[in-house]
Amino acid sequence: MGTMPATITRERRQTLTAELTVEYCGEEFPLSGDRNFTIGRDADLVVDDNAYLHRQLAELSFADGFWWVANVGTRLSLTVSGEAGTLHAVLAPGARVPIVLPSVALLFTAGQTTYEVNVSCDVPTFNAVPQSAGPDGLDNTDMTLGSVNLTSSQFLMVLSLCENALRRSGTGPTDLPTNAQAADRLGWPITRFNRKLDNVCDKFDRAGVQGLRGGRGNNATQRRARLVEYAVTARIVRPEHLPLLDEETAP
């Protein structure tokens, strides 16, 4: 029996349009593909009335046999992340990517708040292959784009910024701590914290992580939020690391 022509395969995929589900704060939205679905401050999914958030930031649509996520905002970035670093894409306004994994998280920051929306696909194009454990018995999923060697103090600095996101259960909004709040959590002077933050951002920027370089159009909040989004979605820091924060401040 001959192989099925690619055109027929694509036509068949175009009929599989009822497999996408959007989940936010425990509420699910099944999508049929007959219309686009928007996410923002005044959209099909209203995540918050945050004035810093676009009325519509993300749009999900079905075309050419794939579901797509697009950044339809004008100034905020949108991060699309697969589980354990299997996918990490930062969408600038006007950009889009296909949803090819069983589950992806959409993360975006407006003001001091970071939001996470989960999107799952029942008929994904690809499935992530689990990685084997290393000699220490731990998984090796941290070796992704942007993987760098952090000192123990640099790791604690990143962990303090990510604490709220790591303690959150499921999708939803997360308040981003200020530098002063994170420094206080560690019991550090703010000057030490800021120095560590600069060094870590420089390391990840050299490793290819976008959005961490200082300068015009990239203020302190944006850089800090970008670092949190990357560290959490790439599993550089995980919930099981949180006790290290208490150890740092223990007498």
Side-chain angles (χ1 to χ4, degrees), residues 82-86 129-144 147 231-241:
E83 183 178 359
T86 53
V129 177
Q131 299 190 25
S132 58
D136 55 2
L138 300 176
D139 67 77
N140 296 316
T141 55
D142 289 346
M143 301 306 294
T144 60
S147 179
V232 171
T233 58
R235 289 176 58 81
I236 293 169
V237 293
R238 301 189 287 271
E240 57 264 34
H241 294 140

Short mmCIF file of all heavy atoms in Angstrom, two decimals, residues 82-86 129-144 147 231-241:
data_model
loop_
_atom_site.label_atom_id
_atom_site.label_comp_id
_atom_site.label_asym_id
_atom_site.label_seq_id
_atom_site.Cartn_x
_atom_site.Cartn_y
_atom_site.Cartn_z
N GLY A 82 6.82 25.24 26.87
CA GLY A 82 6.44 23.86 27.06
C GLY A 82 6.94 23.35 28.39
O GLY A 82 7.76 24.00 29.06
N GLU A 83 6.47 22.20 28.80
CA GLU A 83 6.83 21.65 30.09
C GLU A 83 8.32 21.35 30.16
O GLU A 83 8.91 20.79 29.24
CB GLU A 83 6.04 20.36 30.35
CG GLU A 83 6.30 19.75 31.72
CD GLU A 83 5.47 18.51 31.96
OE1 GLU A 83 4.69 18.13 31.06
OE2 GLU A 83 5.61 17.91 33.03
N ALA A 84 8.92 21.75 31.28
CA ALA A 84 10.33 21.43 31.58
C ALA A 84 11.28 21.86 30.47
O ALA A 84 12.24 21.17 30.15
CB ALA A 84 10.49 19.94 31.86
N GLY A 85 11.01 23.03 29.87
CA GLY A 85 11.95 23.55 28.89
C GLY A 85 11.89 22.92 27.53
O GLY A 85 12.81 23.09 26.73
N THR A 86 10.82 22.15 27.20
CA THR A 86 10.73 21.55 25.88
C THR A 86 10.50 22.59 24.80
O THR A 86 10.76 22.34 23.63
CB THR A 86 9.58 20.52 25.83
OG1 THR A 86 8.37 21.14 26.29
CG2 THR A 86 9.89 19.33 26.72
N VAL A 129 9.82 13.91 24.49
CA VAL A 129 10.42 12.64 24.89
C VAL A 129 11.06 12.83 26.25
O VAL A 129 11.93 13.70 26.42
CB VAL A 129 11.49 12.20 23.87
CG1 VAL A 129 12.16 10.91 24.33
CG2 VAL A 129 10.85 12.02 22.51
N PRO A 130 10.65 12.06 27.28
CA PRO A 130 11.24 12.22 28.60
C PRO A 130 12.74 11.98 28.56
O PRO A 130 13.22 11.08 27.86
CB PRO A 130 10.54 11.14 29.45
CG PRO A 130 9.28 10.83 28.69
CD PRO A 130 9.63 11.02 27.23
N GLN A 131 13.48 12.78 29.32
CA GLN A 131 14.92 12.61 29.39
C GLN A 131 15.27 11.70 30.55
O GLN A 131 14.60 11.68 31.57
CB GLN A 131 15.61 13.97 29.57
CG GLN A 131 15.34 14.92 28.40
CD GLN A 131 16.21 16.15 28.49
OE1 GLN A 131 17.27 16.13 29.08
NE2 GLN A 131 15.76 17.22 27.89
N SER A 132 16.33 10.95 30.39
CA SER A 132 16.74 10.03 31.43
C SER A 132 17.40 10.78 32.57
O SER A 132 17.95 11.87 32.39
CB SER A 132 17.72 9.01 30.87
OG SER A 132 18.85 9.65 30.32
N ALA A 133 17.35 10.17 33.74
CA ALA A 133 17.97 10.78 34.91
C ALA A 133 19.49 10.71 34.80
O ALA A 133 20.05 9.79 34.21
CB ALA A 133 17.50 10.07 36.18
N GLY A 134 20.15 11.68 35.38
CA GLY A 134 21.59 11.70 35.38
C GLY A 134 22.15 10.82 36.49
O GLY A 134 21.41 10.17 37.23
N PRO A 135 23.46 10.81 36.64
CA PRO A 135 24.09 9.96 37.65
C PRO A 135 23.69 10.34 39.07
O PRO A 135 23.82 9.52 39.98
CB PRO A 135 25.59 10.18 37.40
CG PRO A 135 25.69 11.48 36.67
CD PRO A 135 24.44 11.55 35.84
N ASP A 136 23.23 11.59 39.26
CA ASP A 136 22.81 11.99 40.60
C ASP A 136 21.36 11.64 40.87
O ASP A 136 20.82 11.96 41.93
CB ASP A 136 23.02 13.50 40.78
CG ASP A 136 22.33 14.32 39.70
OD1 ASP A 136 21.66 13.72 38.84
OD2 ASP A 136 22.46 15.56 39.73
N GLY A 137 20.68 11.00 39.89
CA GLY A 137 19.29 10.61 40.08
C GLY A 137 18.30 11.69 39.73
O GLY A 137 17.10 11.49 39.81
N LEU A 138 18.78 12.87 39.34
CA LEU A 138 17.89 13.98 38.99
C LEU A 138 17.72 14.03 37.48
O LEU A 138 18.57 13.56 36.72
CB LEU A 138 18.48 15.31 39.49
CG LEU A 138 18.70 15.41 41.00
CD1 LEU A 138 19.37 16.74 41.33
CD2 LEU A 138 17.38 15.27 41.76
N ASP A 139 16.60 14.63 37.04
CA ASP A 139 16.41 14.77 35.60
C ASP A 139 17.35 15.83 35.06
O ASP A 139 17.84 16.69 35.79
CB ASP A 139 14.96 15.13 35.27
CG ASP A 139 14.58 16.50 35.77
OD1 ASP A 139 14.98 17.47 35.12
OD2 ASP A 139 13.90 16.61 36.81
N ASN A 140 17.61 15.77 33.76
CA ASN A 140 18.57 16.68 33.14
C ASN A 140 17.88 17.67 32.21
O ASN A 140 18.39 18.01 31.16
CB ASN A 140 19.61 15.88 32.35
CG ASN A 140 20.44 15.00 33.25
OD1 ASN A 140 20.87 15.44 34.31
ND2 ASN A 140 20.64 13.75 32.86
N THR A 141 16.71 18.16 32.60
CA THR A 141 15.94 19.02 31.71
C THR A 141 16.35 20.48 31.79
O THR A 141 15.80 21.30 31.08
CB THR A 141 14.45 18.91 32.05
OG1 THR A 141 14.27 19.21 33.44
CG2 THR A 141 13.93 17.52 31.76
N ASP A 142 17.32 20.83 32.64
CA ASP A 142 17.73 22.21 32.75
C ASP A 142 18.72 22.62 31.65
O ASP A 142 19.00 23.79 31.48
CB ASP A 142 18.39 22.48 34.11
CG ASP A 142 17.38 22.44 35.24
OD1 ASP A 142 16.18 22.49 34.95
OD2 ASP A 142 17.81 22.36 36.40
N MET A 143 19.26 21.65 30.92
CA MET A 143 20.27 21.95 29.91
C MET A 143 19.59 22.39 28.63
O MET A 143 19.50 21.66 27.65
CB MET A 143 21.16 20.74 29.68
CG MET A 143 21.89 20.27 30.93
SD MET A 143 22.83 21.61 31.72
CE MET A 143 24.07 21.90 30.47
N THR A 144 19.06 23.60 28.64
CA THR A 144 18.36 24.16 27.50
C THR A 144 19.03 25.46 27.10
O THR A 144 20.02 25.88 27.69
CB THR A 144 16.89 24.43 27.87
OG1 THR A 144 16.86 25.36 28.97
CG2 THR A 144 16.17 23.16 28.27
N SER A 147 21.05 27.97 29.49
CA SER A 147 21.58 27.30 30.67
C SER A 147 22.94 27.88 31.00
O SER A 147 23.84 27.90 30.16
CB SER A 147 21.68 25.79 30.42
OG SER A 147 22.21 25.14 31.54
N ALA A 231 13.26 31.62 34.24
CA ALA A 231 13.75 30.71 35.28
C ALA A 231 12.71 29.68 35.68
O ALA A 231 13.03 28.52 35.94
CB ALA A 231 14.20 31.52 36.50
N VAL A 232 11.43 30.09 35.72
CA VAL A 232 10.37 29.17 36.12
C VAL A 232 10.05 28.20 34.99
O VAL A 232 9.94 26.98 35.20
CB VAL A 232 9.11 29.95 36.55
CG1 VAL A 232 7.93 29.00 36.76
CG2 VAL A 232 9.39 30.71 37.84
N THR A 233 9.86 28.70 33.78
CA THR A 233 9.43 27.83 32.68
C THR A 233 10.55 26.89 32.22
O THR A 233 10.27 25.80 31.74
CB THR A 233 8.93 28.65 31.48
OG1 THR A 233 9.98 29.54 31.03
CG2 THR A 233 7.71 29.47 31.85
N ALA A 234 11.81 27.30 32.35
CA ALA A 234 12.93 26.43 32.01
C ALA A 234 13.32 25.53 33.18
O ALA A 234 14.29 24.77 33.07
CB ALA A 234 14.13 27.26 31.56
N ARG A 235 12.59 25.64 34.29
CA ARG A 235 12.81 24.81 35.48
C ARG A 235 14.21 24.96 36.05
O ARG A 235 14.78 24.01 36.61
CB ARG A 235 12.49 23.34 35.17
CG ARG A 235 11.01 23.09 34.97
CD ARG A 235 10.73 21.65 34.57
NE ARG A 235 11.22 20.67 35.54
CZ ARG A 235 10.59 20.33 36.66
NH1 ARG A 235 9.44 20.91 36.97
NH2 ARG A 235 11.11 19.42 37.47
N ILE A 236 14.75 26.16 35.94
CA ILE A 236 16.02 26.45 36.61
C ILE A 236 15.78 26.48 38.12
O ILE A 236 16.60 26.02 38.91
CB ILE A 236 16.59 27.78 36.10
CG1 ILE A 236 16.99 27.62 34.64
CG2 ILE A 236 17.79 28.23 36.94
CD1 ILE A 236 17.33 28.92 33.96
N VAL A 237 14.65 27.05 38.52
CA VAL A 237 14.20 26.98 39.92
C VAL A 237 12.89 26.23 39.96
O VAL A 237 12.06 26.34 39.06
CB VAL A 237 14.05 28.39 40.53
CG1 VAL A 237 15.40 29.07 40.67
CG2 VAL A 237 13.12 29.25 39.69
N ARG A 238 12.69 25.44 41.01
CA ARG A 238 11.50 24.61 41.15
C ARG A 238 10.97 24.71 42.58
O ARG A 238 11.70 25.14 43.48
CB ARG A 238 11.83 23.16 40.78
CG ARG A 238 12.35 22.98 39.37
CD ARG A 238 12.46 21.51 38.99
NE ARG A 238 13.56 20.85 39.66
CZ ARG A 238 14.80 20.78 39.18
NH1 ARG A 238 15.10 21.38 38.02
NH2 ARG A 238 15.75 20.14 39.82
N PRO A 239 9.71 24.32 42.81
CA PRO A 239 9.15 24.44 44.16
C PRO A 239 9.98 23.76 45.24
O PRO A 239 10.05 24.25 46.38
CB PRO A 239 7.77 23.78 44.02
CG PRO A 239 7.40 24.01 42.59
CD PRO A 239 8.69 23.90 41.83
N GLU A 240 10.64 22.66 44.90
CA GLU A 240 11.42 21.96 45.91
C GLU A 240 12.67 22.73 46.35
O GLU A 240 13.30 22.38 47.36
CB GLU A 240 11.83 20.57 45.41
CG GLU A 240 12.61 20.55 44.12
CD GLU A 240 11.73 20.31 42.90
OE1 GLU A 240 10.57 20.77 42.92
OE2 GLU A 240 12.21 19.67 41.94
N HIS A 241 13.01 23.80 45.63
CA HIS A 241 14.14 24.63 46.02
C HIS A 241 13.77 25.68 47.06
O HIS A 241 14.65 26.28 47.69
CB HIS A 241 14.73 25.35 44.80
CG HIS A 241 15.34 24.45 43.79
ND1 HIS A 241 15.19 24.64 42.43
CD2 HIS A 241 16.09 23.33 43.91
CE1 HIS A 241 15.83 23.70 41.76
NE2 HIS A 241 16.37 22.88 42.63
#
